[in-house]
């Protein structure tokens, strides 16, 4: 029975369940010193003086550095969606002359322990001349204050994606919905904070770095460039990782500072982020303003969609460049056939923590916006929300469907999908009609009960390539060397399943090596839910090549022709004569130099393969919720929630399920609980988990997960679509629609999160009372310069 | 009183003699001085529970304990839970039910659940959830953690009934 498709137990668990995982904070090196970072206490100001002398004079302090010490180090470059305009707003590893967000690194202290390093932080004197604060996109556009001198209006970039003729189509529509929306700042918040351990060996001129993940090969190149070292003298080692969600593994200031210090002090050095730092220093995400105009016929068919979008990047552009708004602009249309579309996107800056990608980046946001608009259409036309969706879904017959848009440097083409089928199955599985009836009856008794739904398209399998190497050793062990990274999602397990099947070995015979740049020459990493598709496909190819070689050598050794051999359970045998067989180990031993090999064959069993694609693949899903709003507390009680997701094909159903449930929890947190709030001076108010609220088990509702395989992808041999993000994508949209249905209001749910305070405010306004929350019901879309 | 103190800790039935400043937390001492890195730090504010250990059978946030408070108590960490090669039923069920993904919060949850099950081998679902709501997980969405604890309680109370413990 093949391993692919089975819920095989994970290889990673054996060490993790015993507490024997090695995370970066567990790396211990002899004589290791510890770093602490002095971070800006203000959101915007000129640095008029820094005095580190008292700190340096402490007997416990090994070294202190400021921007002056690294004055020749350039800014941290972008990795994705790299428009040249954005280079005006990139970040130096230490603040040079100016700080632009609370938490920006200003100096680094090194001491024998973290306790002593932090003690010394208090001895550093920094003088700041405060500058005007830009707190959000609205202010960014209106104020005279510039975060970066060459960036006018604090707009780092404007770009447009379009197809068709949106203005004519809107003018010719029977109805136009014109609404503004706001999605708040929140982010991945993995349970493990970031960390870097670095060690420089002067004899071998080798710099070794732990704590890296996600895109190790790229980051090694960045570090080599910034330090002026050859890449070959930098060795990255990936440890166990406590979750990524998009925010871990990018190149941050500390990724330069700690290796730089290791080389400077010639002593191993560790920096482990604490949570208070993490909430200020690690990428934020999601903060967007939208103004949407959608035109429809009186039968509910969408004719046109025009979106203006402001993406708040915080104080600097980080490694993701314009990825988030690019994703938004490419996936705003979702599963619907919309022939006239225009998205005008602006990357704005503010005096807050820089922002990057977070699970379903750009898509959580636009799914909220679009699916709210769909419900508004339904209400305006007196149609059922499910029916409005159904009549607009792209039919299966039109797949592959060319959207005419671009993302991640590729054309966005939906490879496969049977959207109408999933909509029907989800609604049936949820009991949509019964739920609506229940809600209607409950509302008649004065309760605020409602049903919400949303449909979304996700993306995965980003190319352009991935590397894999499969080796078989004389003990018969099959080693897979992958350019992808393990962030806790089960990569070792998935690749073992795929390779075990392809090479015909036991699951336990396979071992996966990742993130180690000495053993893996090339890799694009794990992000954008690409690993299953890219690393899986490359590994499958490499495994097949290895199997072919085992058979060819086995044929020589057994003196038969390759066609007479079959392969199973790590052995090559003459078909029908099991006594004439060889184990993989025996064949590998016989392939070493000195043994006779078939003509043209090189020694050893080591096969490399690349998998290349120029387009992404597109899983898709439906979410439904039945909720009750407590008018007194503002609480949202979710009676039940259905998350449906078509992933093409499941390699390990248990892991896919885990991704959907875990993703849902994050989407839920984003919809109801989590928020990075700032005061008007740019001071973060979400300083700890007391303020930034993460869902606990108590917040999880009865959740049904429906994973389907209706539409395998035609674009990779396994037919798979990466499942990592779709649990999160539509939760904000679905709950907003449900709360809106429960309260019976039309346009007021146009911002997230739906905290008790805001929900109570909505309840007040529903009953005609004025709102109490500072932001008025309607989002006031900022004036865009040049309009 | 900032001078380092000589403290003897009883951890996993072994004695550890350490010299620590009074401000050093139990979590840091376990990880650095006792070299038991299975106990993890997720927030250091006592909210996330990744640092949960058992002290005299009670789940405790080791990030909120000072080492100097911990003489004369019995401390148990994740490293004590398996019996050599044999996993504890709770660990076995975590693997079986896919109750861990990145594994960072897992030792804290194991110790928390162990504290519950050793006190009450047959908790109902409400009690399981109430206890588990002490700790945060960012990967799993909790459902499988609940399933694993429930399955373990069935095994442990079943074993007790048939005298197998």
């Amino acid at each position: 029975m093949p391993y692919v498709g089975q819920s095989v137990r994970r290889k990673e668990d054996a060490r993790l369940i015993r507490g024997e995982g090695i995370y970066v904070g567990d790396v211990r090196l002899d004589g290791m010193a510890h770093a602490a970072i002095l971070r800006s206490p203000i959101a915007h100001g000129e640095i008029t003086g820094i005095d580190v002398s008292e700190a340096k004079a402490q007997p416990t302090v090994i070294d202190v550095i400021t921007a002056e010490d690294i004055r020749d180090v350039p800014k941290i470059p972008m990795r994705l969606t790299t428009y040249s305009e954005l280079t005006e707003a990139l970040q130096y590893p230490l603040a040079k002359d100016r700080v632009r967000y609370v938490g920006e690194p200003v100096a680094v202290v090194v001491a024998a322990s973290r306790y002593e390093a932090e003690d010394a932080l208090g001895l550093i004197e920094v003088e700041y001349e405060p500058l005007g604060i830009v707190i959000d996109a609205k202010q960014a556009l209106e104020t005279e204050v510039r975060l970066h001198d060459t960036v006018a209006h604090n707009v780092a970039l404007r770009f447009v994606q379009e197809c068709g003729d949106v203005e004519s189509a809107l003018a010719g529509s029977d109805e136009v919905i014109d609404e503004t929306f706001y999605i708040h700042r929140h982010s991945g918040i993995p349970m493990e904070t970031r960390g870097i351990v670095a060690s420089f060996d002067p004899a071998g001129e080798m710099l070794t770095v732990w704590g890296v993940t996600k895109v190790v090969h790229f980051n090694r190149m960045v570090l080599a460039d910034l330090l002026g070292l050859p890449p070959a003298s930098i060795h990255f080692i990936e440890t166990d990782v406590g979750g990524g969600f998009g925010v871990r593994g990018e190149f941050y200031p500390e990724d330069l500072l700690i290796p730089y210090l290791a080389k400077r002090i010639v002593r191993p050095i560790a920096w482990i982020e604490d949570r208070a730092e993490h909430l200020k220093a690690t990428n934020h995400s999601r903060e967007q303003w939208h103004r949407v105009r959608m035109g429809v016929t009186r039968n509910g068919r969408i004719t046109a969609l025009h979106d203006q979008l402001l993406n708040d990047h915080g104080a600097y552009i980080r490694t993701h460049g314009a990825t988030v708004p690019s994703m938004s602009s490419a996936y705003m249309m979702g599963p619907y056939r919309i022939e006239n579309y225009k998205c005008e996107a602006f990357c704005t800056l503010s005096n807050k923590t820089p922002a990057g990608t977070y699970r379903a980046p750009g898509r959580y946001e636009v799914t909220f916006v679009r699916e709210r608009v769909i419900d508004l259409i339904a209400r305006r036309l007196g149609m059922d929300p499910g029916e409005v969706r159904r009549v607009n879904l792209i039919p299966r017959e039109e797949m592959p469907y060319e959207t005419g848009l671009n993302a991640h440097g590729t054309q966005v083409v939906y490879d496969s999908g049977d959207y109408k089928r999933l909509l029907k199955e989800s609604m049936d599985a949820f009991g949509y009609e019964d739920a609506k009836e229940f809600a209607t009856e409950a509302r008649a008794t004065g309760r605020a009960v409602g049903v919400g739904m949303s449909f979304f398209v996700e993306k995965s399998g980003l190319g352009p390539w991935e590397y894999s190497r499969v080796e078989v050793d004389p003990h018969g062990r099959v080693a897979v060397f992958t350019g992808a990274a393990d962030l806790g999602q089960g990569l070792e397990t998935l690749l073992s399943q795929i390779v075990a099947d392809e090479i015909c070995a036991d699951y336990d015979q396979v071992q996966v090596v990742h993130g180690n740049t000495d053993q893996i020459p090339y890799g694009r990493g794990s992000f954008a839910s690409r690993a299953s598709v890219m690393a899986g496909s490359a590994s499958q190819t490499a495994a097949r090549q290895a199997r072919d070689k085992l058979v060819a050598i086995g044929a020589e050794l057994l003196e038969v022709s390759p066609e007479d051999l079959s392969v199973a359970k790590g052995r090559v045998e003459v078909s029908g004569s099991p006594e004439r067989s060889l184990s993989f180990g025996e064949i590998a031993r016989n392939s070493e130099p000195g043994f006779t090999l078939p003509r043209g064959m090189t020694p050893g069993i080591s096969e490399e393969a690349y998998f290349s694609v120029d387009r992404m693949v597109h899983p898709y899903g439906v979410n439904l919720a039945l909720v009750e709003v407590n008018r007194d507390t503002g609480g949202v009680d979710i009676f039940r929630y259905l998350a449906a997701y078509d992933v093409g094909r499941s390699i390990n159903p248990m892991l896919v399920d885990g991704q959907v449930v875990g993703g849902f929890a994050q989407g839920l947190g984003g919809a109801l609980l989590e928020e990075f709030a700032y005061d008007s001076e740019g001071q973060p108010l979400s300083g700890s988990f007391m303020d930034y609220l993460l869902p606990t088990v108590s917040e999880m509702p009865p959740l049904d997960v429906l994973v389907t395989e209706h539409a395998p992808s035609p674009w990779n041999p396994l037919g798979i679509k990466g499942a990592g993000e779709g649990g999160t994508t539509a939760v904000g949209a679905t709950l907003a629609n449900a709360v809106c249905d429960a309260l019976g209001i039309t346009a007021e749910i146009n911002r997230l999160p739906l905290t008790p305070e805001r929900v109570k405010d909505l309840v007040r306004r529903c009953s005609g009372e004025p709102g109490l929350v500072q932001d008025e019901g309607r989002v006031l879309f900022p004036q865009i310069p040049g309009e | 009183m900032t001078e380092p103190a000589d403290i003897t800790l009883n951890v996993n039935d072994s004695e550890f003699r350490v010299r620590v400043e009074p401000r050093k937390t139990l979590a840091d001492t376990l990880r650095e001085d006792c070299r038991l890195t299975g106990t993890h730090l997720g927030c250091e504010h006592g909210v996330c529970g990744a640092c949960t250990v058992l002290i005299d059978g009670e789940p405790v946030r080791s990030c909120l304990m000072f080492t100097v408070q911990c003489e004369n108590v019995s401390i148990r960490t994740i490293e004590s839970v398996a019996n050599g090669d044999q996993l504890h039923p709770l660990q076995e069920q975590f693997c079986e039910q896919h109750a861990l993904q990145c594994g960072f919060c897992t030792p804290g949850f194991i110790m928390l659940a162990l504290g519950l099950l050793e006190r009450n081998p047959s908790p109902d679902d409400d009690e399981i959830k109430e206890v588990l709501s002490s700790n945060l997980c960012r990967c799993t969405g909790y459902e499988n953690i609940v399933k694993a604890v429930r399955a373990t309680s069935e095994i442990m109370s079943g074993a007790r009934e048939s005298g197998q413990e």
Side-chain angles (χ1 to χ4, degrees):
Chain A
M1 191 174 163
Y3 293 110
V4 171
Q6 276 192 70
S7 293
V8 182
R9 245 164 87 148
R10 298 196 331 162
K11 280 184 187 280
E12 297 87 336
D13 290 355
R15 66 182 183 277
L16 298 179
I17 199 64
R18 291 166 177 273
E20 287 170 7
I22 301 290
Y23 300 87
V24 64
D26 305 329
V27 174
R28 302 284 303 270
L29 300 170
D30 195 35
M32 194 165 81
H34 294 260
I37 298 176
L38 182 70
R39 298 180 180 278
S40 172
I42 62 168
H44 200 195
E46 300 283 346
I47 300 175
T48 52
I50 301 187
D51 184 358
V52 302
S53 55
E54 204 188 336
K56 261 189 165 159
Q58 296 302 302
T60 53
V61 170
I62 296 163
D63 203 353
V64 182
I65 60 166
T66 65
E68 184 55 30
D69 295 288
I70 55 168
R71 62 184 165 279
D72 295 330
V73 175
K75 295 179 182 181
I76 297 166
M78 290 175 279
R79 180 174 72 81
L80 290 176
T81 325
T82 61
Y83 292 83
S84 60
E85 296 93 310
L86 296 172
T87 57
E88 302 297 316
L90 297 178
Q91 183 174 8
Y92 284 109
L94 285 176
K96 240 185 207 192
D97 307 322
R98 205 154 140 188
V99 291
R100 294 180 173 86
Y101 64 100
V102 172
E104 179 163 5
V106 174
V108 188
V109 172
V110 185
S113 75
R114 174 68 180 238
Y115 286 72
E116 287 164 329
E118 285 191 21
D119 288 342
L121 289 181
L123 300 174
I124 300 176
E125 303 268 339
V126 186
E127 280 160 19
Y128 298 100
E129 189 66 46
L131 295 170
I133 304 290
V134 178
I135 200 57
D136 61 19
K138 182 174 176 2
Q139 209 175 40
L141 296 170
E142 292 171 353
T143 182
E144 292 296 313
V145 175
R146 287 192 184 187
L147 263 79
H148 300 267
D149 296 335
T150 53
V151 181
H153 303 293
N154 299 300
V155 175
L157 176 72
R158 172 188 174 277
F159 65 88
V160 172
Q161 284 230 56
E162 61 187 319
C163 62
D165 181 349
V166 84
E167 290 303 333
S168 308
L170 282 172
S173 302
D174 294 329
E175 295 277 354
V176 176
I177 305 279
D178 185 344
E179 274 304 326
T180 62
F181 296 89
Y182 174 76
I183 302 94
H184 63 297
R185 203 165 243 259
H186 56 288
S187 198
I189 316 292
M191 286 320 300
E192 184 200 12
T193 55
R194 293 182 296 133
I196 297 283
V197 172
S199 176
F200 181 66
D201 166 24
E205 292 248 322
M206 181 65 76
L207 177 61
T208 305
V209 185
W210 293 260
V212 292
T213 184
K214 190 181 189 192
V215 283
V216 297
H217 290 84
F218 183 88
N219 285 353
R220 186 177 73 150
M221 188 61 78
V222 172
L223 183 62
D225 288 345
L226 293 177
L227 286 180
L229 285 177
S233 62
I234 300 177
H235 180 193
F236 273 19
I237 301 178
E238 194 176 77
T239 53
D240 285 311
V241 172
F245 313 123
V247 302
R248 185 199 310 277
E250 294 298 326
F251 202 99
Y252 284 91
E254 298 87 354
D255 291 84
L256 177 281
L257 294 169
I258 305 306
Y260 165 80
L261 280 164
K263 193 160 182 291
R264 178 179 159 114
I265 66 177
V266 197
R267 196 172 149 173
I269 177 171
W271 167 74
I272 306 299
E273 190 183 46
D274 68 29
R275 185 60 67 180
E277 279 184 288
H278 178 91
L279 294 171
K280 292 197 274 275
T282 296
N283 283 347
H284 289 186
S285 195
R286 298 268 196 263
E287 190 172 12
Q288 286 187 354
W289 304 61
H290 285 257
R291 182 199 169 189
V292 176
R293 287 181 296 148
M294 187 182 275
V296 290
T297 68
R298 61 180 56 88
N299 298 317
R301 284 281 289 116
I302 301 167
T303 55
L305 172 52
H306 181 258
D307 180 39
Q308 283 176 305
L309 129 73
L310 303 183
N311 194 88
D312 188 327
H313 287 259
Y316 294 99
I317 298 295
R318 280 221 162 126
T319 54
H320 288 115
T323 298
V324 176
S326 169
M327 287 289 115
S328 289
S329 69
Y331 289 97
M332 179 63 154
M333 297 203 290
Y336 307 115
R337 208 146 164 284
I338 302 175
E339 274 149 23
N340 302 287
Y341 171 75
K342 182 174 182 182
C343 175
E344 197 183 358
F346 297 81
C347 298
T348 68
L349 302 168
S350 64
N351 290 116
K352 296 184 289 203
T353 300
T357 59
Y358 162 37
R359 206 169 194 172
R363 284 104 59 191
Y364 185 90
E365 299 88 314
V366 295
T367 301
F368 166 68
V369 172
R370 179 194 64 243
E371 295 296 309
R372 279 293 305 128
V373 174
I374 297 283
D375 266 27
L376 292 175
I377 290 170
R379 199 176 272 266
R380 174 92 61 97
L381 298 177
M383 286 174 71
D384 176 75
E387 186 58 16
V388 175
R389 288 172 171 86
R390 200 188 62 77
V391 302
N392 283 293
L393 289 175
I394 297 164
R396 183 173 53 91
E397 300 75 47
E398 292 188 22
M399 296 290 174
Y401 179 79
E402 298 204 10
T403 63
L405 305 176
N406 291 300
H408 274 316
T410 70
Q411 292 190 349
V412 177
V413 182
Y414 298 163
D415 51 333
S416 62
D418 194 345
Y419 297 163
K420 287 185 180 168
R421 181 178 171 194
L422 190 65
L423 181 67
K424 179 167 191 326
E425 287 190 16
S426 309
M427 287 167 76
D428 289 346
F430 184 75
Y432 178 70
E433 295 300 330
D434 288 342
K436 278 208 311 179
E437 207 180 297
F438 172 80
T440 307
E441 287 169 8
R443 283 197 294 269
T445 71
R447 293 165 66 187
V449 178
V451 176
M453 69 157 57
S454 57
F455 202 122
F456 66 95
V457 174
E458 255 302 314
K459 55 145 273 289
S460 61
L462 177 63
W465 54 267
E466 193 45 79
Y467 167 91
S468 183
R469 183 171 82 252
V470 172
E471 294 182 358
V472 182
D473 77 6
H475 287 231
R477 192 193 69 157
V478 178
V480 186
F481 297 85
T482 176
D486 198 322
L487 299 139
Q489 82 277 41
L491 179 76
E492 291 174 33
T493 299
L494 289 183
L495 294 186
S496 297
Q497 288 179 254
I498 291 170
V499 168
D501 273 359
E502 193 66 30
I503 205 174
C504 304
D506 275 337
Y507 175 68
D508 291 330
Q509 234 176 314
V510 183
Q511 183 193 7
V512 177
V513 178
H514 56 85
N516 184 315
T517 56
D518 263 12
Q519 295 180 291
I520 300 160
Y522 304 107
R524 289 285 290 189
S526 284
F527 61 98
S529 298
R530 71 189 298 272
S532 301
V533 173
M534 299 303 296
S537 300
S539 299
Q540 190 190 46
T541 303
R544 181 169 53 254
Q545 288 167 195
R547 189 191 71 211
D548 289 347
K549 188 164 185 182
L550 287 164
V551 166
I553 299 175
E556 288 276 322
L557 294 169
L558 291 166
E559 294 172 332
V560 295
S561 93
E563 294 79 51
D564 298 330
L565 293 173
S566 55
V567 189
K569 292 184 174 298
R571 298 193 70 85
V572 175
E573 75 174 39
V574 176
S575 305
S577 304
E579 72 283 0
R580 293 180 62 204
S581 71
L582 292 165
S583 71
F584 283 4
E586 285 166 330
I587 298 176
R589 196 166 300 134
N590 278 280
S591 73
E592 301 206 314
F595 286 89
T596 310
L597 286 174
R599 181 171 293 281
M601 212 172 260
T602 54
I605 316 280
S606 173
E607 293 294 317
E608 292 182 326
Y610 290 86
F611 184 68
S612 301
V613 292
D614 59 4
R615 289 174 298 190
M616 297 181 283
V617 297
H618 296 88
Y620 55 95
V622 180
N623 283 191
L624 291 123
L626 175 64
V627 312
E628 178 162 18
V629 176
N630 183 319
R631 289 198 174 86
D632 296 320
T633 64
V636 177
D637 189 7
I638 306 171
F639 291 145
R640 52 199 179 80
Y641 198 102
L642 176 82
Y645 199 26
D646 194 289
V647 297
R649 188 170 166 203
S650 280
I651 300 169
N652 187 319
M654 183 177 75
L655 299 198
V656 175
D657 190 274
Q659 289 298 310
V660 176
V661 176
F664 168 80
Q666 288 190 307
L668 177 72
L672 301 180
L673 295 169
E674 299 173 42
E675 185 175 12
F676 281 119
Y678 283 80
D679 71 14
S680 59
E681 294 302 306
Q683 288 294 327
L685 300 172
S686 321
S688 75
F689 285 158
M690 309 283 204
D691 314 297
Y692 191 97
L693 302 176
L694 295 179
T696 70
V697 66
S698 306
E699 279 69 54
M700 290 293 285
L703 175 66
D704 280 314
V705 175
L706 175 62
V707 172
T708 58
E709 296 176 304
H710 299 157
S713 177
W715 295 346
N716 62 72
L718 291 158
I720 56 180
K721 303 178 181 179
E725 293 168 269
T728 304
T729 314
V731 186
T734 306
L735 291 177
N737 280 342
V739 169
C740 189
D741 190 49
L743 294 177
I745 54 187
T746 55
E748 308 292 350
I749 310 241
N750 52 14
R751 63 184 300 149
L752 293 176
L754 297 168
T755 56
E757 185 188 41
R758 289 210 177 86
V759 173
K760 278 177 65 172
D761 204 64
L762 288 167
V763 171
R764 285 177 63 91
R765 272 188 261 113
C766 274
S767 46
E769 297 168 63
L772 287 176
V773 177
Q774 196 181 9
D775 46 334
E776 293 296 318
R778 288 192 174 265
V779 174
L780 299 171
F781 202 72
Q783 194 64 31
I784 299 192
E787 269 208 329
Chain B
M1 189 195 120
T2 54
E3 288 306 305
D6 288 307
I7 301 288
T8 302
L9 294 177
N10 182 318
V11 186
N12 302 336
D13 279 334
S14 295
E15 248 187 33
F16 288 86
R17 285 188 206 151
V18 299
R19 171 169 289 187
V20 294
E21 289 180 43
R23 61 177 177 167
K24 190 161 185 177
T25 63
L26 176 63
D28 284 340
T29 300
L30 288 171
R31 289 174 51 74
E32 289 167 22
D33 302 84
C34 306
R35 307 250 174 173
L36 296 167
T37 57
T39 302
H40 298 142
L41 290 167
C43 73
E44 295 180 296
H45 296 136
V47 179
C48 78
C51 66
T52 303
V53 298
L54 291 177
I55 294 190
D56 291 340
E58 293 291 324
V60 165
R61 312 279 211 225
S62 62
C63 73
L64 292 182
M65 297 285 291
F66 292 117
T67 312
V68 296
Q69 291 174 280
C70 297
E71 282 199 297
N72 305 315
V73 293
S74 161
I75 301 166
R76 281 163 65 201
T77 69
I78 182 70
E79 288 86 349
S80 70
V81 176
N83 187 2
D85 280 346
Q86 183 80 15
L87 291 179
H88 188 283
L90 183 60
Q91 291 171 308
E92 192 60 45
Q93 285 308 309
F94 261 63
C95 297
E96 198 56 33
Q97 304 291 339
H98 189 38
L100 67 152
Q101 291 185 25
C102 80
F104 196 78
C105 74
T106 306
F109 268 103
I110 295 277
M111 300 319 286
L112 181 68
L114 205 57
L116 166 65
L117 293 173
E118 286 177 355
R119 196 172 53 243
N120 174 8
S122 317
D124 61 24
D125 260 21
D126 283 345
E127 190 177 354
I128 291 175
K129 287 187 184 174
E130 198 186 312
V131 169
L132 292 181
S133 69
S134 305
N135 281 18
L136 296 177
C137 171
R138 201 53 171 160
C139 293
T140 66
Y142 304 104
E143 288 201 341
N144 290 347
I145 298 177
V146 173
K147 283 185 195 161
V149 175
R150 195 189 292 131
T152 308
S153 79
E154 282 160 17
I155 292 169
M156 280 171 73
S157 45
R160 183 161 297 186
E161 277 167 25
S162 61
Q164 272 163 27
E165 276 219 332

